[in-house]
Amino acid sequence: MPERRIVPTSDMLAALAVPSRLAILSHLLTVGAQTATQCAAAVGLTASNCSWHLRELAKFGLVERADADAGDARKRPWQATITGIDLDAGGGPGDDLARAAVRSAWFADTDARFADFLRHESTLPAAWREAAVISDYAVWVTADELADIGARIDEVIRPYIRATRSPAPADGAVASVSIRGVVDPRFLGGST
């Protein structure tokens, strides 16, 4: 069963800073095992280019072949070996730019999914429109309290992650849940 993966090395951060690799990894985390051809169609790459990126992700243990004995390598699916990435751990002191690039690319992907939801919202079934959670909170917290909020949200969401939820409910669908809890530098250390 996949586990949450800490990004432990500078090399892994550099590999993940390539937007195509993040898109492929995000796709596998969302839909489960897929061939390179299926991934390529989903992320807008050629199958050969996608295969190369998958092999690069495999070097870092982020993906693996779903069935190592399935014959033709072109037809064997790949699967994610993780359920998420902890970008606050691992790497070295000089990895801030790579870490920022990974975060930026990852949230550009989640922003695109949200924009897609908004474009199609009026055509979705009422149950899914009503179930949508679109909230923004300004909270006054300490750094420790903000970290606690993140840990508690993770604890609530983790049982529903696509990669580990088995069996998935027949009437379910993939939902994108993105949380950003960051300090507003304009108000750091002061009150208004």
Side-chain angles (χ1 to χ4, degrees):
M1 177 174 289
E3 295 183 18
R4 186 168 180 88
R5 177 70 175 237
I6 294 175
V7 178
T9 67
S10 299
D11 290 342
M12 188 184 288
L13 279 171
L16 287 170
V18 177
S20 294
R21 291 186 192 145
L22 275 178
I24 293 165
L25 183 58
S26 177
H27 178 67
L28 291 175
L29 287 167
T30 301
V31 301
Q34 298 266 283
T35 65
T37 301
Q38 291 170 315
C39 288
V43 301
L45 298 173
T46 65
S48 62
N49 193 276
C50 192
S51 291
W52 181 76
H53 285 303
L54 284 161
R55 289 190 303 275
E56 289 299 305
L57 291 169
K59 287 179 184 178
F60 295 100
L62 299 169
V63 301
E64 66 186 7
R65 292 290 189 168
D67 183 359
D69 300 324
D72 186 351
R74 291 171 296 175
K75 296 179 182 175
R76 288 189 307 198
W78 292 85
Q79 64 187 6
T81 59
I82 61 171
T83 60
I85 299 171
D86 185 351
L87 290 173
D88 296 322
D95 292 327
D96 290 345
L97 287 176
R99 187 176 282 110
V102 173
R103 282 185 177 136
S104 179
W106 200 281
F107 277 102
D109 180 59
T110 63
D111 289 345
R113 280 182 273 163
F114 182 63
D116 196 40
F117 166 80
L118 293 176
R119 275 192 303 277
H120 296 93
E121 184 176 12
S122 65
T123 66
L124 297 173
W128 287 108
R129 289 192 315 268
E130 293 164 9
V133 179
I134 304 170
S135 301
D136 184 39
Y137 305 94
V139 295
W140 194 269
V141 294
T142 66
D144 287 342
E145 289 169 333
L146 183 58
D148 181 58
I149 290 169
R152 291 168 61 192
I153 290 170
D154 186 73
E155 186 178 328
V156 168
I157 292 173
R158 189 139 304 273
Y160 302 99
I161 292 175
R162 169 68 174 90
T164 57
R165 188 162 192 199
S166 182
D171 61 343
V174 173
S176 178
V177 179
S178 303
I179 309 293
R180 300 176 203 189
V182 296
V183 69
D184 186 334
R186 300 172 300 165
F187 302 105
L188 189 60
S191 62
T192 56

